[in-house]
Amino acid sequence: MANKRMFTMKIVDSDQFLNMSIEAQCAYFQLCMRSDDDGYLRSWKRTIRIIDAKEEFVSELISNGYLEKKSENVYKLPLFKETTGYGERDKQRHTKEYKKWRKEVLKRDNYICQMCGKPNSNIAHHKVRFRDCYDDKNIVYDIGNGVCLCKRCHKIAHGGGNYING
Ligand SMILES: [Zn+2]
């Protein structure tokens, strides 16, 4: 579950989506907020208890293709990426500008992890989370917004919310 999600008009403004009941639409937003980054809801029973969506609206989402049952306690949102713009974000990581930004950050830090000092480190980490800045070129490609980290420290940076300079 994320604290923050983006929604694009692509799915939620489609006729098919808008033709569903407002309760099913509302349940969909709740489920998108509460899913993991791949659109999986892995504690379905708990989630449905919290949002208290009636069975008929869950069925409505399923019959319209916005929700899939994987097992008793696991459900999937097949259009999650399109709904939240994740596809766009992935594309942004493969641009020329992104590669240039990465190289410059690593070069500036001499491939040394800026948290633990490990040499030959090659992860360019965004201080302002990539997911929060990928659509703002002034931030996402700002060398000052990057820092070289090793694999281990990068994990730590993303795990405990322990970001360097936020
Ligand atoms: Zn390190």
Side-chain angles (χ1 to χ4, degrees):
M1 189 161 80
N3 289 315
K4 219 167 141 186
R5 286 259 189 260
M6 192 179 87
F7 288 88
T8 68
M9 286 298 264
K10 193 174 170 190
I11 301 298
V12 303
D13 196 42
S14 66
D15 286 341
Q16 195 186 358
F17 191 85
L18 293 169
N19 281 337
M20 291 194 297
S21 67
I22 191 67
E23 290 87 351
Q25 294 182 37
C26 178
Y28 186 70
F29 279 101
Q30 278 285 356
L31 294 173
C32 283
M33 282 306 296
R34 292 165 192 283
S35 83
D36 68 14
D37 287 352
D38 293 314
Y40 278 90
L41 295 138
R42 296 181 192 279
S43 25
W44 176 256
K45 286 172 193 168
R46 184 170 174 272
T47 302
I48 209 69
R49 200 162 54 232
I50 294 169
I51 71 170
D52 198 23
K54 303 276 176 294
E55 187 57 42
E56 59 178 300
F57 303 124
V58 171
S59 303
E60 200 179 346
L61 287 175
I62 291 174
S63 65
N64 278 282
Y66 295 108
L67 184 64
E68 269 173 32
K69 183 177 180 174
K70 292 291 182 188
S71 71
E72 273 315 304
N73 208 25
V74 180
Y75 279 64
K76 189 191 178 188
L77 301 160
L79 298 173
F80 177 77
K81 291 203 174 188
E82 290 90 330
T83 304
T84 57
Y86 262 47
E88 276 170 55
R89 203 165 83 194
D90 288 345
K91 254 185 250 158
Q92 197 69 253
R93 280 196 198 270
H94 293 101
T95 60
K96 252 189 186 162
E97 278 166 298
Y98 188 92
K99 285 173 186 160
K100 186 169 165 261
W101 172 84
R102 178 179 173 273
K103 225 178 188 169
E104 281 177 21
V105 168
L106 298 178
K107 236 163 96 184
R108 182 204 58 205
D109 293 342
N110 292 315
Y111 293 83
I112 291 168
C113 173
Q114 300 299 297
M115 269 172 86
C116 74
K118 186 178 182 288
N120 303 317
S121 299
N122 61 2
I123 294 171
H125 171 65
H126 275 93
K127 292 181 193 170
V128 173
R129 261 184 119 147
F130 185 67
R131 67 163 60 163
D132 293 331
C133 70
Y134 75 93
D135 54 354
D136 187 338
K137 293 197 178 209
N138 289 325
I139 303 176
V140 75
Y141 298 131
D142 173 11
I143 307 299
N145 186 30
V147 60
C148 173
L149 294 179
C150 72
K151 234 179 173 174
R152 192 180 138 265
C153 291
H154 189 232
K155 241 187 199 163
I156 295 169
H158 278 281
N162 178 24
Y163 298 96
I164 299 177
N165 301 330

